[in-house]
Amino acid sequence: MISTKKHIQQLAAILLAKEIDDVIISPGSRNGPLTHTFAGSNRFNCRNIVDERSAAYFALGLAQAKQKPVVIVCSSGTATLNYAPAIAEAFYLQVPLIVLTADRPDYWIDQAESQCIRQENIYQNFIKKEISLPLGESENELWYAARQINECLNTALCEAPAPVHINIPLEEPLHDLLDEQLSPVKIIETTDTRQLLAESALDELTAVFNKANKVLVLAGQQIPNPGLENQLSELASKTGAVVLKEHLANLDDSNFCGSIDTLMAALLEDRIEDFQPELLISFGGQFVSKSLKQFLRKYKPANHWHLSLAKEHFDTYQALTKVIPLNATDFFGQLLPKVSSQEKSYIQRWKNKEKQVNQLRDTFIGQASYSDLTVFDQLRKAIPENSVIHLGNSSPVRYGLICPPVKNAQYFGNRGTSGIDGPLSTAVGFASETTSINTIILGDLSFFYDSNALWNKYIHSNLRVVVINNRGGNIFGLIKGPGDSPAFQEHFFTENKFKAEGLARAFELDYFKAENATELSQALNNFYSPGQQKAALLEIFTDAEVNTTVFRELFKYVKQ
């Protein structure tokens, strides 16, 4: 049974024709025609999540896991506003969410009608395209709507993928049904093309590359890409270029440098100009490291090339000289055969410094007091190989990047907007589509903020939730400024006296806890045991003041 609304039938048919069949529905009445059609056609993978904010983040994680668009469907009014945080995150992570919002007809806007707000352009800063479907169902109106829907969906996937918004005004009756199948529809497709550098441009870039004695490549956040990893490894071996990456870049090659924050701290005590690049090449998403940004802004390269199919002018380091409209794989594929073999003093300098810093880091952690830092070291040793690891924002992602990565693991994190409001929901959505163990590590405030992530029936046995409970927002004790304020305790740190156990029980997760290193070791053995056949939550208690002291002492130690 599907809705009698012809626009809804047509929309559903176009989605299917483009192989977009995952739909996250939040219940409501105004979106009834959409719900009836998606669920009633029996051709969509429909999931129901009540909380729209959590639903949109769940869809974000699901889209990342499947590497294809996911549809989110909600009712009118403030339900649409609750999608906004996840849409913004998806926009900056370049994840194609298809946002369908039911609406009242425009003649009811601002007329004291229930669940009726101004929904057109509601996400205008965080979407690639928005359309509103017409109310009428004439032949011309259906043709017009089909053309717009095709264009909107094609836009979501071209160049830099991103969310798109289709607003759907609907008149009553909303729940009239037909016992019919969706009719075939005409599809407008876009043809995939591959962009290549013109020979003259390639020669120009090659000349600049070969002239530079110190080349630094910044690999930002991205999904795993083995082909690109091989290219970068060859580039480093052939030319001595340094590849800097964080865990979120999902690059494992030992030729690359990854201990960025501790490296930056150690460089301050060295001849820092020796590490200053002459040529900087960047691609991918954002870096977490603030110290890296400060280093490159102060010690600027003569040339900075940013690779972006969408021609984004990311001048993060205030040194941008060229935007190259290619993805990284195509760019390095063209550049590699052209560049000359060079002496390796620059990469050796970085690798020697990283080896020294890593030895100091490991020595320090081995003798440090029980704290968030030692907890993360225990965690990375306990998490199984070939896992998926989701790093929550604020202090968890920083500690996670200080410690070595888990072998053969994939790393994800909501670093588009870097908020604490949706990491758990995103991880739950991702885990629902995979069989690998998925571990989400987040702080106590982030966990309570996003606890509705567990309020659905798609929590699978492969989910492991790790809550670092330092009883507040410990990130504000680590960064300069807030800790010196009289308002620190109440308005920055925001002391938290609650525990996660009650919520774990309420949502039927197995619960583990640890308050010291011995208890943590025992808990981790059970938490990741093959016999643990149910989703589980591990709450780890640490002391915020000790955490701050240990964190700061680590960076003093590596500076020696």
Side-chain angles (χ1 to χ4, degrees):
M1 301 289 283
I2 61 174
S3 172
T4 57
K5 305 286 187 186
K6 293 182 181 179
H7 283 299
I8 305 304
Q9 296 171 19
Q10 180 173 251
L11 170 61
I14 294 172
L15 287 166
L16 280 175
K18 292 184 179 292
E19 299 182 346
I20 302 172
D21 55 6
D22 286 289
V23 182
I24 310 301
I25 299 171
S26 292
S29 181
R30 186 60 51 169
N31 59 333
L34 290 153
T35 303
H36 292 310
T37 303
F38 288 133
S41 68
N42 295 318
R43 298 179 66 185
F44 290 89
N45 303 315
C46 295
R47 298 169 175 84
N48 185 282
I49 297 179
V50 175
D51 182 334
E52 286 87 3
R53 183 174 61 81
S54 180
Y57 275 114
F58 181 103
L60 171 63
L62 182 62
Q64 289 177 314
K66 300 194 76 169
Q67 288 301 297
K68 60 180 289 191
V70 172
V71 178
I72 52 178
V73 178
C74 73
S75 189
S76 61
T78 55
T80 63
L81 293 171
N82 285 321
Y83 275 167
I87 291 172
E89 180 65 33
F91 179 78
Y92 287 108
L93 284 183
Q94 299 186 349
V95 175
L97 297 183
I98 312 301
V99 184
L100 308 182
T101 57
D103 199 0
R104 291 321 202 248
D106 59 2
Y107 52 75
W108 282 123
I109 305 298
D110 296 335
Q111 296 301 308
E113 176 70 359
S114 297
Q115 289 187 303
C116 188
I117 65 173
R118 302 173 190 176
Q119 289 182 204
E120 289 196 6
N121 301 314
I122 199 168
Y123 313 118
Q124 60 183 335
N125 291 326
F126 308 111
I127 55 170
K128 228 175 175 184
K129 186 174 179 61
E130 180 199 57
I131 62 172
S132 280
L133 300 187
L135 272 176
E137 297 183 342
S138 70
E139 184 176 338
N140 275 341
E141 285 168 315
L142 286 166
W143 163 80
Y144 171 64
R147 191 195 78 208
Q148 282 199 307
I149 293 167
N150 272 281
E151 183 180 356
C152 195
L153 298 179
N154 290 342
T155 301
L157 293 169
C158 68
E159 295 178 341
V164 293
H165 176 210
I166 301 177
N167 192 54
I168 308 168
L170 292 162
E171 290 184 307
E172 296 183 0
L174 300 172
H175 305 289
D176 287 355
L177 304 177
L178 292 171
D179 189 8
E180 295 181 5
Q181 297 296 312
L182 294 171
S183 301
V185 289
K186 184 186 77 167
I187 297 301
I188 303 171
E189 299 177 337
T190 57
T191 300
D192 290 335
T193 58
R194 183 185 176 197
Q195 292 184 310
L196 296 173
L197 289 167
E199 200 63 34
S200 59
L202 180 58
D203 289 343
E204 176 191 335
L205 295 174
T206 303
V208 174
F209 188 101
N210 288 336
K211 187 178 178 181
N213 293 316
K214 297 185 291 183
V215 177
L216 184 62
V217 178
L218 293 186
Q221 182 175 3
Q222 60 175 5
I223 62 172
N225 186 337
L228 175 60
E229 182 163 0
N230 291 337
Q231 289 176 328
L232 293 173
S233 180
E234 184 181 345
L235 183 76
S237 298
K238 181 178 181 179
T239 70
V242 174
V243 178
L244 273 187
K245 53 88 180 181
E246 293 175 332
H247 302 351
L248 295 169
N250 288 299
L251 299 170
D252 294 328
D253 197 286
S254 59
N255 281 323
F256 309 152
C257 294
S259 305
I260 295 178
D261 272 341
T262 46
L263 259 173
M264 291 299 115
L267 293 188
L268 295 175
E269 305 304 312
D270 218 319
R271 273 183 49 84
I272 198 165
E273 293 85 357
D274 290 342
F275 295 87
Q276 179 180 8
E278 297 171 13
L279 170 62
L280 178 68
I281 305 174
S282 62
F283 64 88
Q286 299 184 34
F287 271 76
V288 176
S289 175
K290 184 177 180 179
S291 58
L292 173 65
K293 297 170 188 175
Q294 291 172 332
F295 164 65
L296 289 172
R297 287 169 188 167
K298 184 173 181 180
Y299 299 94
K300 290 180 171 59
N303 289 285
H304 173 200
W305 304 341
H306 182 64
L307 314 180
S308 169
L309 263 178
K311 301 180 183 178
E312 294 153 324
H313 286 54
F314 285 170
D315 196 10
T316 311
Y317 312 105
Q318 302 175 323
L320 186 66
T321 56
K322 195 177 290 290
V323 175
I324 301 175
L326 291 175
N327 64 43
T329 304
D330 288 340
F331 172 76
F332 289 112
Q334 282 194 265
L335 186 70
L336 261 172
K338 295 279 190 176
V339 295
S340 304
S341 296
Q342 299 178 19
E343 58 94 18
K344 310 298 191 300
S345 61
Y346 188 56
I347 190 172
Q348 201 57 55
R349 196 176 304 138
W350 277 91
K351 293 301 294 181
N352 288 343
K353 178 58 67 174
E354 182 180 47
K355 181 179 179 181
Q356 177 190 25
V357 164
N358 286 349
Q359 289 173 343
L360 290 167
R361 175 201 62 197
D362 294 344
T363 299
F364 180 87
I365 292 175
Q367 61 193 22
S369 302
Y370 173 76
S371 59
D372 281 358
L373 180 60
T374 63
V375 162
F376 271 82
D377 191 57
Q378 284 187 262
L379 282 171
R380 63 99 181 172
K381 294 174 181 176
I383 295 174
E385 290 187 22
N386 303 306
S387 288
V388 179
I389 301 170
H390 306 267
L391 295 175
N393 283 315
S394 294
S395 56
V397 70
R398 288 164 175 82
Y399 281 115
L401 299 183
I402 287 172
C403 295
V406 175
K407 190 173 182 181
N408 297 324
Q410 296 182 21
Y411 279 84
F412 292 86
N414 287 358
R415 294 303 299 178
T417 58
S418 307
I420 68 164
D421 48 350
L424 182 54
S425 292
T426 306
V428 170
F430 195 110
S432 73
E433 189 55 35
T434 67
T435 56
S436 301
I437 292 294
N438 276 244
T439 299
I440 167 70
I441 309 172
L442 70 170
D444 50 321
L445 296 188
S446 183
F447 169 76
F448 285 109
Y449 197 119
D450 195 24
S451 58
N452 270 359
L454 304 175
W455 183 26
N456 63 70
K457 60 183 179 182
Y458 313 107
I459 309 298
H460 291 181
S461 61
N462 62 337
L463 181 68
R464 300 291 182 271
V465 181
V466 178
V467 179
I468 311 294
N469 192 336
N470 44 44
R471 299 175 176 84
N474 201 194
I475 183 64
F476 296 110
L478 307 184
I479 61 178
K480 294 180 180 179
D484 299 324
S485 169
F488 171 74
Q489 195 66 28
E490 184 171 357
H491 296 295
F492 287 99
F493 179 68
T494 314
E495 185 178 4
N496 166 49
K497 297 182 180 179
F498 298 101
K499 299 178 180 179
E501 182 175 6
L503 285 172
R505 305 295 187 200
F507 292 120
E508 299 181 346
L509 271 67
D510 284 350
Y511 176 78
F512 300 84
K513 72 172 184 177
E515 297 188 21
N516 55 56
T518 301
E519 289 182 1
L520 179 56
S521 179
Q522 294 170 347
L524 286 170
N525 285 336
N526 295 322
F527 193 63
Y528 288 113
S529 165
Q532 179 59 39
Q533 295 296 308
K534 186 178 177 183
L537 184 149
L538 169 60
E539 187 169 23
I540 305 171
F541 296 91
T542 63
D543 184 278
E545 291 186 7
V546 175
N547 293 336
T548 300
T549 299
V550 170
F551 183 84
R552 292 177 177 174
E553 288 298 321
L554 167 68
F555 287 94
K556 291 179 183 178
Y557 191 79
V558 299
K559 286 179 182 180
Q560 69 180 295

